[in-house]
Amino acid sequence: MIEIRNLHVRIADEGIEIIKGLNLSVADGEVAAIMGPNGSGKSTLSYALAGRDGYEVTDGEVLFNGVNLLELEPDERAAAGLFLAFQYPVEIPGVATMNFLKAAMNAQRKARGEKEYSTPDFIRTVREAAGHLGISMDMLKRPLNAGFSGGEKKRAEILQMALLEPKLCIMDETDSGLDIDALKVVADGVNAMRGPNRSFVVITHYQRLLEYIVPDTVHVLYKGRIIQSGDKDLALHLEKHGYADIIGQAA
Amino acid sequence: MLKHIEKLTPAEEALLSAAETLLEATPQRRRAAETLRERGLPSRKVEAWHYTDLRTRLKEFAGLADTADDGQAWIEADRGLVEAARLPVINGRLRASLADDMPQGVTLKSFEGEGGFADAADAVAMLNTLIGRGGVDMGVAAGARVEKPVELLHGTISAGASAIRHKVAMGEGASATIVERHESADGLAVQSNAVVDLEIADDARLLWVIVQTEGDAATHLAQLNVNLGARAKLTVLVLNAGGALVRREINVDVTGEDADLQIRGVNLIGGETHLDVTTVLLHDVPGSVSTELFRNVATAHGAGIFQGQIRVAQIAQKTDARMACNTLLLSDEAEFSAKPELEIFADDVQCAHGATVADIEDDHLFYLMARGIPQKQARAMLVQAFVEEAFEEVEDEALRDALNARIENWLDRHG
């Protein structure tokens, strides 16, 4: 699905290198968890993959289903099947959520040469997906994320993910700010989407989320590199012993 | 001692000559001519015109527009803003014979004569007095609840200057929606001038909607003068989306206690447009509320100005007056100047103003693009969202949609 080789990323404004030679390969259908302490480069990695301005790739390559991801604009990456679930989804007053969803879904379909949704088909699709996530149509009439609670924002991200049907979902600390009920809703949404042709990169600080979204592989990110990889037991080890001993071993 | 000007500009000469040769010399018109001759049009030295030097900018006077064509074909082709009882004004002349039937409670008389002006700095009204020939005198009966909007549809269909002045009176407890629309075609050298004197009696509710979509060669000078009674509520919506040189003045004198004034405006400024919105709100009595919000977009070589004056008299305690002016600049050559002016003589009041100028936010743009929306479309969505927020409280959905459709149309052409 995605092959990241020797990736170096610098935050342009500050001129500081955050990702320093990262290698990661995620197979079709795989759920890979990336764990790491604060400041290890988790969010920088997700922004760099999604193509945010100011996150400058200085070396390395990223192949997404054989395509050089780094040459694409953010919207082209999305149309190619990459989805970033934001840690802090922005509030955009004035843009109605339904209009935004329709614009996004149709833009991606158009980019892929598919037929755009008719309004009735679009509404039916959204209504069904929202129902599974306990999102009311009233909430979708409001401006995008505006006044949504933390849990509502994360559920709205999962709704977008479900509607856009991406191939690779990067989930940036989706568990932050969620209570246990909201966490379960989000995890159920993710688990329902798992399949042989869809992969996930679940970025998290805590093991808690991984109790609900059980990963195939776990990778420890520290100072911009993957310093250890393993299966789900690695997450349990980290939960018990913290990052210190693994960081110690790597050093 | 006021300084007299030494030499008239060609435009001033032509204005005076047109007024003297073509129009009857009434006392008001004579006074306007005298004032113009002595003081000229206001230059940037006149504080209220500091950002819009009318003397320099009004290079020539186009002569009075032809009024032979009653505009019937143009009126029939007009697609309207919303379903309304239309009262057409073509090239500055009221065309009552082509008007729709007015809703019950609305009475019309034609108003002949000139409305007067304050002084040389009151140049919009001064020019209106000089070359204007009356307009409509509209009354909404006390207690009447007029559902169907009434539209004063001003179309300038041939080159030249025109001026019209209306008087509108809302009776006690009456409610109505009145649209004031100004249209002309691109490329037409139009100089349109419109003044409305609006009296709103106690407990009346009025929604006044100004839609200005003059062509790209038009000079448009307009003034709304309001007297707002006790417990009355006035909402003014303004959409400026046209013209080459535009001055829109809104003057409200809040003379009744507990009155409520809401002004929401969108100014779309592109091409070579110079657009000046100047508001003067006087709170003369205790307990009234006013909120002004303008959202502006300037692109290409567009230049926008907002001057917002609020004066709170000493006796006007418990006044709550707020003003905000937010602008998106979409090109390096576009500019916007905001000048808030608060003069507060009472001590127990709430007054606030804020002005911002910015580009759209990077994290908003990235969010939309990360969902697959191409940059151009994402930017357009964000610009539209920014301006449409000004009208989000408009309860009449058809009206809100119609205003937003005009905004979208402008952004499509200028984005």
Side-chain angles (χ1 to χ4, degrees):
Chain A
M1 179 67 65
I2 194 165
E3 183 76 40
I4 304 172
R5 293 184 197 137
N6 187 33
L7 186 68
H8 289 255
V9 181
R10 195 170 70 158
I11 296 185
D13 275 354
E14 297 156 23
I16 304 166
E17 190 175 68
I18 304 289
I19 302 294
K20 303 168 184 171
L22 182 142
N23 292 291
L24 180 70
S25 172
V26 180
D28 290 358
E30 180 180 333
V31 175
I34 295 183
M35 302 183 70
N38 287 330
S40 57
K42 300 194 296 291
S43 285
T44 300
L45 175 62
S46 59
Y47 284 147
L49 292 178
R52 186 170 194 152
D53 260 0
Y55 290 78
E56 200 182 323
V57 174
T58 53
D59 201 4
E61 64 175 353
V62 180
L63 291 176
F64 180 47
N65 293 317
V67 174
N68 182 354
L69 189 72
L70 303 176
E71 280 183 351
L72 304 180
E73 290 295 316
D75 56 308
E76 296 169 330
R77 298 181 193 202
L82 183 89
F83 182 91
L84 169 63
F86 284 73
Q87 183 178 5
Y88 303 110
V90 292
E91 299 194 6
I92 309 187
V95 173
T97 307
M98 285 299 267
N99 290 348
F100 157 74
L101 290 174
K102 194 170 182 194
M105 288 162 73
N106 280 338
Q108 291 203 16
R109 293 174 82 90
K110 201 171 153 191
R112 292 193 292 256
E114 297 163 15
K115 199 165 165 278
E116 294 182 28
Y117 273 108
S118 70
T119 300
D121 284 348
F122 162 74
I123 290 172
R124 196 178 315 117
T125 309
V126 173
R127 193 187 297 273
E128 196 182 307
H132 291 310
L133 290 161
I135 293 171
S136 70
M137 293 306 277
D138 276 349
M139 190 173 131
L140 300 180
K141 282 181 190 147
R142 283 149 57 186
L144 184 57
N145 291 323
F148 288 16
S149 70
E152 285 175 332
K153 281 181 190 167
K154 295 298 170 74
R155 269 188 285 162
E157 291 289 290
I158 303 303
L159 173 65
Q160 292 173 33
M161 193 164 94
L163 291 169
L164 294 170
E165 301 178 312
K167 295 184 182 123
L168 174 65
C169 309
I170 300 167
M171 310 191 62
D172 187 6
E173 306 217 18
T174 296
D175 49 336
S176 69
L178 288 190
D179 62 29
I180 197 74
D181 292 329
L183 189 68
K184 281 180 181 165
V185 171
V186 165
D188 287 348
V190 170
N191 288 329
M193 289 181 67
R194 288 177 78 155
N197 299 316
R198 183 173 290 131
S199 309
F200 292 81
V201 173
V202 180
I203 296 173
T204 182
H205 191 77
Y206 301 106
Q207 195 266 338
R208 189 179 68 156
L209 177 66
L210 304 180
E211 287 174 22
Y212 300 96
I213 303 174
V214 179
D216 300 306
T217 55
V218 174
H219 309 269
V220 178
L221 180 63
Y222 179 66
K223 288 192 174 170
R225 306 173 70 151
I226 302 291
I227 56 166
Q228 188 158 355
S229 297
D231 62 12
K232 64 180 192 298
D233 294 338
L234 177 57
L236 294 170
H237 177 89
L238 286 170
E239 181 74 1
K240 213 165 165 186
H241 303 286
Y243 289 102
D245 62 329
I246 287 176
I247 290 168
Q249 283 169 33
Chain B
M1 183 64 196
L2 293 168
K3 217 176 120 196
H4 288 194
I5 52 164
E6 285 166 10
K7 189 174 182 296
L8 293 173
T9 66
E12 290 161 350
E13 291 275 14
L15 267 160
L16 287 166
S17 138
E20 277 158 17
T21 54
L22 300 171
L23 303 168
E24 192 193 340
T26 62
Q28 286 280 21
R29 190 170 286 138
R30 232 182 268 132
R31 189 181 146 240
E34 243 164 63
T35 308
L36 181 63
R37 198 184 308 282
E38 287 174 6
R39 307 289 308 283
L41 291 167
S43 73
R44 59 183 299 117
K45 290 176 192 155
V46 177
E47 200 188 341
W49 293 85
H50 181 72
Y51 296 93
T52 302
D53 188 323
L54 191 63
R55 199 151 194 248
T56 309
R57 289 183 177 275
L58 200 75
K59 288 197 178 66
E60 54 190 31
F61 174 66
L64 293 176
D66 178 31
T67 52
D69 183 353
D70 66 4
Q72 186 168 3
W74 186 90
I75 295 162
E76 279 166 8
D78 178 68
R79 284 177 299 136
L81 180 73
V82 287
E83 177 77 24
R86 289 183 306 176
L87 185 58
V89 173
I90 300 298
N91 289 2
R93 300 307 294 268
L94 181 68
R95 298 296 180 180
S97 60
L98 299 175
D100 297 327
D101 291 338
M102 288 295 122
Q104 208 171 358
V106 177
T107 54
L108 301 179
K109 283 184 290 186
S110 98
F111 152 64
E112 302 289 341
E114 310 77 42
F117 63 101
D119 52 27
D122 189 15
V124 176
M126 176 177 75
L127 291 178
N128 189 285
T129 302
L130 188 67
I131 61 166
R133 287 168 286 187
V136 72
D137 184 344
M138 184 190 301
V140 179
R145 301 197 174 280
V146 181
E147 296 288 336
K148 189 176 190 179
V150 174
E151 183 173 65
L152 294 161
L153 172 59
H154 302 78
T156 309
I157 59 174
S158 50
S162 63
I164 192 153
R165 187 158 191 152
H166 306 297
K167 292 189 177 303
V168 178
M170 291 288 293
E172 252 184 62
S175 68
T177 297
I178 299 176
V179 178
E180 176 192 349
R181 190 146 60 93
H182 298 276
E183 302 245 354
S184 59
D186 279 346
L188 209 54
V190 164
Q191 294 182 336
S192 65
N193 180 313
V195 176
V196 175
D197 299 311
L198 178 56
E199 289 282 335
I200 303 177
D202 296 352
D203 301 297
R205 294 174 70 87
L206 177 63
L207 174 59
W208 188 273
V209 186
I210 298 168
V211 177
Q212 182 273 114
T213 50
E214 297 271 11
D216 58 9
T219 294
H220 177 70
L221 306 175
Q223 187 179 69
L224 175 65
N225 302 309
V226 187
N227 212 315
L228 190 59
R231 299 168 304 281
K233 177 169 183 177
L234 170 65
T235 302
V236 181
L237 307 178
V238 187
L239 172 61
N240 276 307
L245 170 63
V246 177
R247 167 90 163 192
R248 156 54 64 182
E249 299 177 356
I250 300 173
N251 304 313
V252 183
D253 201 352
V254 181
T255 54
E257 291 188 20
D258 301 316
D260 181 346
L261 169 64
Q262 303 292 325
I263 300 176
R264 300 287 180 274
V266 169
N267 297 311
L268 305 174
I269 310 149
E272 305 284 331
T273 299
H274 176 101
L275 187 141
D276 174 330
V277 173
T278 295
T279 66
V280 179
L281 313 186
L282 309 180
H283 287 269
D284 296 334
V285 289
S288 61
V289 174
S290 69
T291 309
E292 276 180 273
L293 170 67
F294 280 91
R295 288 285 166 98
N296 317 299
V297 171
T299 184
H301 292 88
I305 291 110
F306 171 67
Q307 304 188 103
Q309 193 181 106
I310 299 175
R311 277 189 278 174
V312 181
Q314 198 170 0
I315 61 154
Q317 301 293 357
K318 307 285 181 196
T319 292
D320 186 332
R322 288 158 206 278
M323 179 163 68
C325 177
N326 312 112
T327 304
L328 281 182
L329 290 182
L330 299 183
S331 78
D332 292 341
E333 291 80 27
E335 56 179 66
F336 198 93
S337 309
K339 179 181 158 201
E341 264 181 288
L342 270 55
E343 289 179 27
I344 301 163
F345 298 100
D347 51 18
D348 184 15
V349 299
Q350 302 250 15
C351 287
H353 68 84
T356 61
V357 175
D359 193 356
I360 58 177
E361 296 197 31
D362 287 342
D363 56 348
H364 291 179
L365 189 63
F366 174 63
Y367 189 89
L368 296 188
M369 289 181 72
R371 294 297 176 255
I373 302 173
Q375 185 169 23
K376 190 164 185 272
Q377 188 187 352
R379 287 190 75 94
M381 282 174 76
L382 292 170
V383 172
Q384 198 174 338
F386 168 83
V387 291
E388 287 181 3
E389 265 192 289
F391 295 145
E392 71 182 359
E393 293 157 15
V394 176
E395 283 165 18
D396 181 338
E397 209 172 316
L399 174 61
R400 194 176 61 231
D401 288 350
L403 293 170
N404 289 344
R406 274 169 168 69
I407 291 170
E408 201 176 338
N409 181 274
W410 189 93
L411 292 172
D412 279 350
R413 287 185 291 123
H414 295 85

